[in-house]
Amino acid sequence: MRREGEADVWLSPSEMATVMHGDRVSVRIVRLDRKGRPEGRVLDILERRKRAIIGRLLLEKGIWLVAPEDRRFGQDILVPKNATAGARAGQVVAVELTEPPLLHAQPVGRITEVLGEIDDAGMEIEIAVRKYEVPHQFSPATQAAAEALPDHVRAIDMRRRVDLTDVPLVTIDGEDARDFDDAVYCEPHVQGKGKHARSGWRLLVAIADVSHYVKPGEPLDADAYERATSVYFPRRVIPMLPEKLSNGLCSLNPLVPRLTLVCDMLVSATGDVEAYQFYPAVIQSHARLTYTEVAAALANAHGLEAQRLAPLLPHLRHLHDVYRALLKARGQRGAVDFESTETYIVCDDQGRIQRILPRTRNDAHKLIEEAMLAANTCAADFIAGAEHAGLYRVHEGPTPPKREALQNQLRALGVGLSISDDPTPKEYQAIAHATQERPDAQQIHTLLLRSMQQAIYTPVNSGHFGLAYEAYTHFTSPIRRYPDLLVHRVIKAILAGKPYRLIGGRKAAGAQAEQARWEEVGAHCSANERRADEASRDVTLWLKCQYMREHLGEEYAGTVTAATPFGIFVTLDELYVEGLVHITELGSEYFRFDEARQELRGERTGIRYAIGSRVRVQVMRVDLDARKIDFRLINESGGEHRPGGRPTKAGEQLAQVQAADRALKRQRREAAAEASASPRGGQRKGAAKASHKASGKAPSKTAQKAAHKKTPGRPKFS
């Protein structure tokens, strides 16, 4: 079995014939393959996958089979006639294995759920939650526990809490937000007297006290732990907690009492948190505000929004002042901050994309972000100071191989600054600032981002590299993140003078067992966070592919966002959609990939395609099943880059694309018919070959392998 931290072991197709994605196996490493990867042999199948597999039901020459949506399964599943559950060919179904794959026999299963037609509204979400095994139904015990909760905060719940109902705390969120974790308030504060007096602010961050209602070991807690996070899709959320809690009792709705855990901070004029305290409180949000209206009120003191928010405007201005001080301290601390364009999808009533828009971050977004960062840092410092076990949000610096690669890349690009053997956030910040006016600034900033590690939850405090904090945790979103709920429990236990112990986990005794349990919980929460991101990304890609099918043949300007040995990825300016220009579509010459510069360079002309390069492309092909969009590069003169050919006009290009698509469909039907005699994977392999026939190009081995590669991931350090 692969232990954590060890390299993946490659299994040949013959070894994979008897196992499926999700099986736990014992392997022996027998050799290194020609790529230097450890190659293994399956010794034993320890545990078969138990969850259902999502796919399309197909009927080929009287044989029913399911083609899995997740291509990691690698082989289709045969379904007996009496096990189709009444599903029709082409529908999306869930299939449960009844017979595992054997060396010369495909797996067999029975259909347990019929999800519907592939084009049904919301089908992409139904597929994603099952494909990534996202828990989407609460247990009966959890539903009963939620229903048994009161509809409002009772007098008994407010006992031994600080009464802050008269303090004008407000929530500031997006227009479409439904649950409100946090409320904020700020006022000027003078610390000391006489000539030693120092001006600053008192900043209150009140966070919903979910731990008052969700108790360890109870059904609500069990389901929350299993989910570990809420999952956000366009037009739908899979919440971590039942709606009665997430949108009701635990949501800081305006003008109603709510239970909170407050981080009460004194911030100096230089943006340093000089003192803080935590205490349970009862608050009453004085208003539910949006980022847009707060930013408008702050920008124009005589505008309509400022007049409407007149009673709260002084407090909002104090929040803006403390934000600017905290932001200045962030810069002096050396926190890495890259400006990037985030987008959001606007859907119609049927769940189809209407448009994709950039999400602009105004000062209201940023002031809330800085307030939350300050509270999270205080929570981490409080737990570390008490020497109590807990979960930290850790983001370590680059690994030695990534650091060395980044040094080589910066040298190749002629960047005068470099990073040391023990890099600091300030070094990253200095490079970002020094290169922000260069034409290749986007390329350099992307290289800096990709050299960083992914943030995780762990009981071992190793600091947060990206934010330049010695200790950091997540405290501010217990409605949607389980680690935040645990941090609340730990803080309340410290305040009460009692240790908080985790329930369950591996059976052992002593401090080592407790530490091991925290590590287990941290790994679980980190993995489920990645699972949620993958599911959300899968749905977004589905919607974008569905959207781009209506734009086949159209031309757009775009920017190269990644360069790989098999082509360049381009993001369209107008639509914010990314697709691949395969290396065979770049022209007739040979292109060499420069890993240090992260670019493709033509050997004959010297033309370069690097991150940040501006290009014009035509939408050539959309593969909804693979979530892939293919572009064709267009010359500045309006013609197409064609190996050995002359540029064609846009109308001719569109006709060619449409003809190629018709040929592709015809070839897929023929390939499916040929594969029916041998159903194992034949249909999809035939379709892949047909795709190359339709485009008029023979697929090389490199191209075939490249088709399975994914866009390089972007590290996260929130």
Side-chain angles (χ1 to χ4, degrees):
M1 289 182 295
R2 175 180 175 271
R3 294 180 178 87
E4 189 172 352
E6 293 182 341
D8 292 333
V9 178
W10 184 78
L11 298 177
S12 66
S14 60
E15 291 294 325
M16 286 295 295
T18 58
V19 296
M20 298 189 74
H21 171 64
D23 291 348
R24 291 183 66 245
V25 299
S26 174
V27 300
R28 174 187 294 148
I29 297 176
V30 294
R31 66 177 68 86
L32 296 179
D33 70 1
R34 55 189 176 85
K35 293 185 177 181
R37 300 175 298 185
E39 183 176 341
R41 176 178 299 155
V42 177
L43 299 179
D44 190 18
I45 300 170
L46 304 176
E47 184 180 352
R48 287 288 187 183
R49 174 191 175 87
K50 294 183 175 64
R51 291 183 179 269
I53 298 168
I54 303 302
R56 297 278 292 278
L57 181 64
L58 305 174
L59 179 61
E60 297 182 354
K61 297 287 183 70
I63 299 174
W64 290 96
L65 56 87
V66 172
E69 162 70 21
D70 190 338
R71 297 192 172 189
R72 290 176 295 184
F73 286 104
Q75 48 189 315
D76 298 334
I77 302 159
L78 297 175
V79 179
K81 288 183 179 180
N82 60 354
T84 61
R88 300 188 302 273
Q91 288 188 311
V92 181
V93 298
V95 60
E96 182 182 84
L97 293 185
T98 56
E99 296 180 24
L102 302 175
L103 190 59
H104 301 292
Q106 287 179 257
V108 179
R110 65 182 184 87
I111 293 175
T112 57
E113 184 181 9
V114 181
L115 277 68
E117 303 296 338
I118 192 67
D119 290 325
D120 288 350
M123 180 55 67
E124 69 281 357
I125 297 176
E126 297 298 331
I127 290 174
V129 296
R130 292 163 177 82
K131 176 179 176 180
Y132 293 96
E133 300 179 4
V134 175
H136 59 286
Q137 292 179 334
F138 289 107
S139 67
T142 293
Q143 292 174 345
E147 288 302 317
L149 290 171
D151 295 324
H152 58 276
V153 176
R154 301 166 301 182
I156 192 173
D157 298 321
M158 302 183 194
R159 291 174 57 190
R160 293 188 291 276
R161 289 179 178 268
V162 178
D163 187 349
L164 298 180
T165 53
D166 60 332
V167 177
L169 289 132
V170 296
T171 62
I172 306 176
D173 295 274
E175 282 82 358
D176 56 349
R178 294 180 58 197
D179 54 357
F180 311 111
D181 289 286
D182 55 87
V184 291
Y185 167 77
C186 186
E187 64 183 15
H189 175 78
V190 178
Q191 191 169 354
K193 295 182 180 180
K195 63 180 181 180
H196 299 293
R198 301 193 310 276
S199 62
W201 299 270
R202 182 188 180 194
L203 174 63
L204 269 64
V205 175
I207 306 299
D209 189 0
V210 176
S211 63
H212 180 82
Y213 300 102
V214 181
K215 303 295 185 182
E218 295 184 356
L220 282 167
D221 184 57
D223 269 14
Y225 174 73
E226 183 186 12
R227 297 178 180 220
T229 180
S230 297
V231 187
Y232 293 85
F233 301 111
R235 299 179 72 245
R236 183 178 170 188
V237 178
I238 307 295
M240 186 181 80
L241 299 171
E243 187 173 356
K244 187 167 184 179
L245 284 168
S246 60
N247 299 141
L249 272 175
C250 292
S251 183
L252 306 184
N253 300 323
L255 307 179
V256 291
R258 286 291 182 259
L259 307 183
T260 61
L261 188 58
V262 173
C263 181
D264 192 336
M265 296 167 276
L266 295 181
V267 183
S268 70
T270 57
D272 297 317
V273 179
E274 295 187 331
Y276 66 82
Q277 61 177 328
F278 288 92
Y279 50 83
V282 55
I283 73 161
Q284 185 165 292
S285 170
H286 283 223
R288 180 268 198 264
L289 306 179
T290 68
Y291 296 122
T292 304
E293 58 193 16
V294 170
L298 292 172
N300 184 359
H302 303 290
L304 292 176
E305 290 295 351
Q307 294 175 25
R308 190 175 66 84
L309 301 178
L312 298 170
L313 195 56
H315 311 303
L316 296 177
R317 286 176 177 156
H318 297 324
L319 279 168
H320 195 235
D321 291 339
V322 76
Y323 145 68
R324 286 185 292 191
L326 290 168
L327 185 64
K328 184 178 179 180
R330 175 204 278 251
Q332 293 174 344
R333 198 171 66 245
V336 185
D337 190 13
F338 298 112
E339 286 293 333
S340 59
T341 302
E342 295 185 5
T343 61
Y344 66 98
I345 292 174
V346 179
C347 295
D348 60 20
D349 294 338
Q350 299 300 314
R352 305 288 192 265
I353 292 182
Q354 284 185 319
R355 56 190 181 278
I356 303 170
L357 299 174
R359 191 185 297 277
T360 55
R361 291 176 70 246
N362 55 41
D363 275 6
H365 289 88
K366 296 174 183 178
L367 72 84
I368 289 296
E369 178 182 316
E370 288 298 332
M372 298 306 114
L373 290 175
N376 285 337
T377 310
C378 291
D381 183 74
F382 187 67
I383 294 172
E387 297 183 350
H388 195 292
L391 282 186
Y392 296 92
R393 182 65 167 177
V394 167
H395 178 238
E396 295 185 300
T399 61
K402 285 190 173 184
R403 185 194 68 230
E404 184 178 350
L406 178 61
Q407 288 173 329
N408 294 335
Q409 290 163 348
L410 294 174
R411 195 178 300 116
L413 291 170
V415 177
L417 299 173
S418 62
I419 59 173
S420 63
D421 291 339
D422 187 16
T424 65
K426 279 193 174 182
E427 293 175 13
Y428 271 66
Q429 183 196 57
I431 294 170
H433 286 173
T435 58
Q436 61 186 0
E437 301 300 327
R438 287 179 46 147
D440 58 353
Q442 182 183 353
Q443 179 181 2
I444 295 168
H445 294 178
T446 302
L447 294 175
L448 292 172
L449 274 170
R450 289 178 180 167
S451 71
M452 299 181 188
Q453 297 187 61
Q454 190 174 46
I456 60 170
Y457 295 107
T458 172
V460 180
N461 178 28
S462 303
H464 198 293
F465 184 85
L467 295 172
Y469 285 132
E470 292 183 2
Y472 186 71
T473 192
H474 276 169
F475 160 78
T476 54
S477 296
I479 291 177
R480 62 184 180 89
R481 290 190 305 227
Y482 195 79
D484 302 53
L485 173 57
L486 288 177
V487 167
H488 277 232
R489 288 175 179 167
V490 170
I491 289 174
K492 290 172 76 174
I494 295 171
L495 291 175
K498 300 176 182 178
Y500 173 72
R501 304 294 184 201
L502 289 170
I503 293 177
R506 291 172 284 197
K507 293 182 179 179
Q512 287 185 339
E514 180 70 9
Q515 179 73 4
R517 176 61 177 144
W518 278 105
E519 290 175 357
E520 183 182 340
V521 170
H524 169 81
C525 292
S526 299
N528 284 10
E529 178 187 45
R530 291 192 294 271
R531 177 181 69 183
D533 289 341
E534 289 171 357
S536 298
R537 191 179 305 115
D538 189 77
V539 168
T540 299
L541 289 174
W542 170 293
L543 291 171
K544 287 182 176 180
C545 287
Q546 195 177 55
Y547 181 63
M548 292 308 294
R549 285 196 301 185
E550 302 173 5
H551 297 273
L552 281 171
E554 296 182 14
E555 296 180 14
Y556 299 93
T559 302
V560 176
T561 48
T564 71
F566 55 88
I568 56 175
F569 286 91
V570 176
T571 298
L572 306 183
D573 293 346
E574 301 173 26
L575 304 180
Y576 302 97
V577 170
E578 186 180 66
L580 173 69
V581 179
H582 196 271
I583 196 167
T584 56
E585 297 292 340
L586 293 180
S588 57
E589 65 179 307
Y590 181 79
F591 281 82
R592 188 178 298 277
F593 178 63
D594 186 332
E595 186 173 5
R597 294 177 179 270
Q598 289 290 294
E599 68 179 21
L600 285 172
R601 182 189 293 267
E603 286 196 341
R604 178 171 54 83
T605 62
I607 188 171
R608 299 164 54 220
Y609 296 105
I611 299 170
S613 298
R614 300 286 299 156
V615 294
R616 189 164 186 82
V617 297
Q618 183 184 48
V619 183
M620 185 174 71
R621 184 181 299 109
V622 175
D623 186 342
L624 186 61
D625 292 334
R627 316 287 195 269
K628 290 180 180 178
I629 301 169
D630 291 330
F631 297 146
R632 174 185 287 127
L633 202 62
I634 303 296
N635 283 328
E636 290 299 323
S637 59
E640 169 196 347
H641 275 292
R642 293 181 62 85
R646 60 178 179 81
T648 61
K649 296 179 180 178
E652 295 174 338
Q653 294 169 8
L654 178 57
Q656 291 171 0
V657 170
Q658 292 171 335
D661 287 337
R662 287 193 295 270
L664 174 61
K665 292 177 181 177
R666 184 176 63 254
Q667 292 287 351
R668 280 178 171 170
R669 287 195 298 270
E670 294 172 358
E674 293 172 0
S676 62
S678 178
R680 179 194 293 256
Q683 181 201 21
R684 283 172 291 155
K685 292 178 182 176
K689 294 178 182 177
S691 172
H692 289 287
K693 289 180 182 178
S695 62
K697 298 179 178 65
S700 64
K701 290 184 178 180
T702 303
Q704 291 172 359
K705 293 176 182 177
H708 296 285
K709 293 183 179 287
K710 295 182 179 178
T711 310
R714 174 175 172 176
K716 297 161 37 179
F717 53 95
S718 60

